[in-house]
Amino acid sequence: MLNSVVLFLCLSLFGYLYFQFAKKYGIVDRPNHRSSHSVVTVRGGGIIFPISVLMWWLMNGFSNSWMVLGLILIAAVSMMDDMFTLSRKLRFGIQFVALSLAFWDLGVFGQKPFWALPILYFIALGIINAINFMDGINGITGLYFLTFFGSLLAVNVYLPIFDSALIQYVILSLLVFLIFNLRKKALMFAGDIGSISLAYLVIYFLARWYLEVGNWTIVLSLLVYGADSFLTLGQRLIRGENVTQPHRLHLYQLFVNQLKKEHVLVALIFALLQFALNFVLFIYPQAYPSDLWALTILVLTAVIYLLIKIPIQNRFKLT
């Protein structure tokens, strides 16, 4: 407990120092027509996430060094992208190298056939880019991934395959970030360094989980945002839009921008819905849903999602 308090205080101090540094040197997000905020806000506050992992690495005998090295690489290039505009090819290349280091750390290359690797990279890069669009409203990144990593701790009780200390370090960093972000007017956004670092860690833990149980239904632990991201991507492709450009078409963004709901309320709803699913599907039964049940949940989620979203889009002429 004492160690957790000390770590929380250290991360809080680091967050405050970064906040002052970013303000001084203009590492900020300026509102534009795609933004869901109206004031200049410090960007890159998610630097706390890789810092927490580095602290864990230093305090735990330099274990899982390949994964940590990948995180450093992907966090560094993402931080540079927060300050400057980097080429898409450079970012993609570093992401590919970082994922390769994570997979090497997990022993993926020795456990999966060669033909499966392109599929794995495709899914992982898709998750990274989906989560990169997530930092759109106050609180959603911190609360949603607090739910994800908290659920992993609960799963770890009956399936002890994760390093609980690493998860706890990440959770503490999320709590510190929420001090600055879970507000009516956020002081800091996670930025690319935060969202992409979290995406990298999510992929690492999901891959470890899958290698242990071999059950694809674990993807439902990200269903709420995953459905919003995947179906919004489909809508944009149908409309012929450039899907690499930022937008305001996620359902949570429509709630905030069109229906004028509070950022924090929408973020809480998304996080609580995901926790409810994780509790029912993984935590309470200490098992996994059948393929049929999982597919049924996917279809029902898509139907409910579209029944909510399409009327909003029609009402505000966004189709």
Side-chain angles (χ1 to χ4, degrees):
M1 177 62 73
L2 180 60
N3 288 341
S4 296
V5 172
V6 171
L7 175 61
F8 181 82
L9 292 174
C10 289
L11 289 171
S12 298
L13 176 61
F14 184 88
Y16 174 76
L17 293 175
Y18 175 78
F19 176 70
Q20 297 300 330
F21 173 84
K23 282 202 304 181
K24 182 176 180 179
Y25 291 99
I27 308 174
V28 296
D29 191 83
R30 301 185 184 281
N32 56 42
H33 68 283
R34 297 190 187 97
S35 302
S36 297
H37 62 287
S38 57
V39 297
V40 175
T41 307
V42 165
R43 182 172 56 199
I47 192 174
I48 300 171
F49 309 144
I51 290 296
S52 71
V53 176
L54 279 175
M55 294 173 72
W56 165 83
W57 181 69
L58 291 170
M59 297 297 293
N60 287 271
F62 310 105
S63 59
N64 301 102
S65 294
W66 291 115
M67 179 274 289
V68 175
L69 177 58
L71 179 62
I72 292 171
L73 284 175
I74 208 168
V77 76
S78 299
M79 187 68 205
M80 292 173 64
D81 202 35
D82 278 327
M83 295 186 290
F84 318 105
T85 301
L86 301 181
S87 74
R88 193 174 303 151
K89 289 181 179 179
L90 175 61
R91 286 183 282 125
F92 178 82
I94 294 296
Q95 289 172 11
F96 184 87
V97 171
L99 287 171
S100 298
L101 291 169
F103 293 159
W104 181 267
D105 187 273
L106 290 166
V108 169
F109 300 115
Q111 298 184 53
K112 292 298 174 184
F114 179 78
W115 60 264
L117 296 179
I119 300 173
L120 189 59
Y121 276 102
F122 179 79
I123 293 172
L125 289 167
I127 291 174
I128 285 177
N129 287 282
I131 292 177
N132 191 30
F133 281 121
M134 189 176 192
D135 194 26
I137 67 171
N138 304 345
I140 193 165
T141 298
L143 288 174
Y144 193 81
F145 289 107
L146 192 62
T147 294
F148 175 79
F149 287 104
S151 298
L152 287 188
L153 273 185
V155 168
N156 212 40
V157 172
Y158 69 87
L159 184 68
I161 60 171
F162 307 116
D163 188 308
S164 59
L166 174 56
I167 298 174
Q168 289 165 7
Y169 272 61
V170 175
I171 286 175
L172 286 171
S173 70
L174 286 164
L175 291 173
V176 170
F177 173 69
L178 285 169
I179 293 174
F180 296 92
N181 184 255
L182 189 62
R183 298 163 175 259
K184 187 172 184 178
K185 291 186 178 180
L187 298 177
M188 287 198 301
F189 295 145
D192 284 352
I193 186 173
S195 57
I196 292 180
S197 294
L198 280 177
Y200 177 85
L201 291 169
V202 166
I203 292 163
Y204 180 79
F205 280 105
L206 279 178
R208 186 172 188 84
W209 196 357
Y210 180 76
L211 289 173
E212 181 67 25
V213 303
N215 194 319
W216 68 270
T217 64
I218 61 173
V219 300
L220 298 182
S221 61
L222 294 171
L223 177 62
V224 176
Y225 179 72
D228 198 356
S229 180
F230 180 79
L231 293 172
T232 299
L233 173 65
Q235 287 183 310
R236 297 187 72 200
L237 286 172
I238 291 171
R239 292 162 62 165
E241 296 181 7
N242 183 348
V243 297
T244 64
Q245 295 299 315
H247 61 89
R248 300 204 308 178
L249 292 175
H250 282 120
L251 182 58
Y252 67 84
Q253 291 171 313
L254 298 182
F255 279 136
V256 167
N257 298 313
Q258 273 67 42
L259 299 182
K260 306 303 178 184
K261 304 299 181 182
E262 290 291 334
H263 287 222
V264 173
L265 175 63
V266 175
L268 277 170
I269 290 172
F270 265 64
L272 289 173
L273 283 173
Q274 187 62 67
F275 178 76
L277 278 168
N278 292 353
F279 183 82
V280 170
L281 296 177
F282 305 112
I283 298 171
Y284 179 73
Q286 297 190 0
Y288 304 92
S290 67
D291 290 348
L292 179 60
W293 179 222
L295 289 170
T296 302
I297 292 171
L298 285 173
V299 172
L300 286 175
T301 300
V303 170
I304 293 170
Y305 173 88
L306 293 173
L307 286 175
I308 295 172
K309 186 176 185 180
I310 291 176
I312 298 174
Q313 290 181 306
N314 290 338
R315 175 181 169 188
F316 293 94
K317 298 179 172 58
L318 298 175
T319 55

